[in-house]
Amino acid sequence: MKAYHLNGHAGAGRLACVDVGKPEPSDGEVRIRVEAASLNYRDLLILDRAGQGEINGRVPLSDGAGVVDAIGAGVAQWRLGDRVAASFFRNWISGPFKSSYIPSSLGGNTMDGMLAEYVVLPATALVSVPAHLSAVEAATLPCAGVTAFHGLIARGGMRKGDTLLVQGTGGVALFGLQFAVALGARAIVISSSDEKLARAKALGGSILINYRDTPDWDVALMNATDGRGASHILELGGPGTYDRSLRSVASGGKIVQIGVLTGFGPKPDLARLQWENADIIGVTVGSVEHFAAMNRFLTEHAIHPIVDRVYDFDDVPEAYAHLRTGSHFGKIVIRL
Ligand SMILES: NC(=O)c1ccc[n+]([C@@H]2O[C@H](COP(=O)([O-])OP(=O)(O)OC[C@H]3O[C@@H](n4cnc5c(N)ncnc54)[C@H](OP(=O)(O)O)[C@@H]3O)[C@@H](O)[C@H]2O)c1
């Protein structure tokens, strides 16, 4: 079978398409014929480390969906032909997060990911794909979708009448926007592009701010909400956005701390948090249980993920290059 490996010696793309043996499932495992995989911002950070230490030779990408193709002994919950997606952390099944789950993230330092024709995973690390979604759509869910659902709904309790701020129009942001619209919450979108803001409006975004033209977007947000601010914020930027997020949060609001788009380690002035009785919710993706709950929500509200562009398996380096431009709206997917 074919798979991509992160490879620091593979030229500028740092990705090598290689022929490797088809993996066989052991006890408790399932083999998946991967039909589609999707890219996240994280995959750029990982690609930039290709060639360094244990990451060299790993199969990239946490996100993929496909069909159960072989089943190991002792697996009762899956049948051949079942449509499944892999959860981001193979060991975080349910309950609260433990830092010991970190090494079980797919497509990172220590675990192979989904950019291969076949993958073997524990039967417990999979969810059923919602019936209304194609494999391409399902492949967008594991990282961006689950992160937004876990932060905003499972932990953040977002509901009708709330106001959500999303930063940009990438994968996590558009899942947040779609969840808010489905719940009857108001969605505020900031973006570098008027054209993307028009598309976000068509999805149900109601306050649209161009952060290039309006660098003080927190002031514009407060004006547009009559000084109330956003009850929920998907904090995706990090150091470059965090203080403005704090100045945008409503009394009793929640900042869901997720992103590193402008770098790591924000050093925010947290004084406002106290005066507004607001909370920060830290999120690393989510569990299999979160993923299954999100899939019920997607089904209930007939939500289809926003797919920007689909690439062939031969064109993976181009897909990464497209992600790096930041010109996408929603998710970039590889079809196998
Ligand atoms: N903690 C976790 O578990 C977790 C999980 C998933 C993702 N993340 C993080 O969340 C972030 C988003 O991930 P993603 O995969 O959704 O990214 P993505 O699809 O690559 O989104 C990129 C978009 O973000 C917007 N953006 C960039 N800089 C911005 C800024 N300074 N202010 C506002 N928007 C900005 C741009 O949108 P416009 O072109 O519209 O301006 C850009 O196109 C990343 O930092 C990622 O590492 C964390």
Side-chain angles (χ1 to χ4, degrees), residues 266-334:
K267 296 183 178 58
D269 176 357
L270 293 174
R272 191 159 187 278
L273 202 69
Q274 179 182 347
W275 306 126
E276 295 299 341
N277 290 266
D279 296 321
I280 295 175
I281 297 173
V283 164
T284 42
V285 194
S287 63
V288 174
E289 190 176 38
H290 290 133
F291 198 164
M294 178 189 70
N295 284 348
R296 291 192 293 275
F297 184 85
L298 296 175
T299 301
E300 183 188 343
H301 296 281
I303 293 172
H304 288 267
I306 308 300
V307 176
D308 175 80
R309 194 150 154 195
V310 182
Y311 286 84
D312 290 334
F313 194 63
D314 291 340
D315 298 328
V316 167
E318 286 78 3
Y320 272 82
H322 179 41
L323 180 67
R324 205 181 286 279
T325 66
S327 61
H328 57 289
F329 183 86
K331 298 293 299 179
I332 298 168
V333 181
I334 317 284

Side-chain angles (χ1 to χ4, degrees), residues 78-89:
W78 301 112
R79 298 274 173 272
L80 293 178
D82 281 351
R83 301 175 67 232
V84 294
S87 194
F88 182 90
F89 292 111

Side-chain angles (χ1 to χ4, degrees), residues 39-45 88-89 143-148 150 166-175 189-193 196-197 211-212 217 235-238 240-241 257-264 282-286 323-332:
L39 274 71
N40 292 282
Y41 186 79
R42 166 186 188 254
D43 299 310
L44 293 178
L45 302 175
F88 182 90
F89 292 111
C143 180
V146 174
T147 298
H150 170 200
V166 303
Q167 298 172 343
T169 54
V172 179
L174 290 192
F175 276 113
V189 183
I190 63 168
S191 171
S192 60
S193 151
K196 289 183 177 184
L197 287 172
Y211 64 79
R212 286 244 168 91
W217 50 261
E235 213 316 296
L236 300 178
T241 53
Q257 182 179 327
I258 290 173
V260 295
L261 288 166
T262 68
F264 287 85
V283 164
T284 42
V285 194
L323 180 67
R324 205 181 286 279
T325 66
S327 61
H328 57 289
F329 183 86
K331 298 293 299 179
I332 298 168

Side-chain angles (χ1 to χ4, degrees), residues 37 121 127 184 197 203 242 249 289 293 336:
L121 286 166
V127 296
L197 287 172
L203 290 174
Y242 214 111
V249 73
E289 190 176 38
L336 275 82

Side-chain angles (χ1 to χ4, degrees), residues 23 89 122 145 148 181 201 233 238 270:
F89 292 111
V181 170
K201 185 177 183 186
I233 296 178
L270 293 174

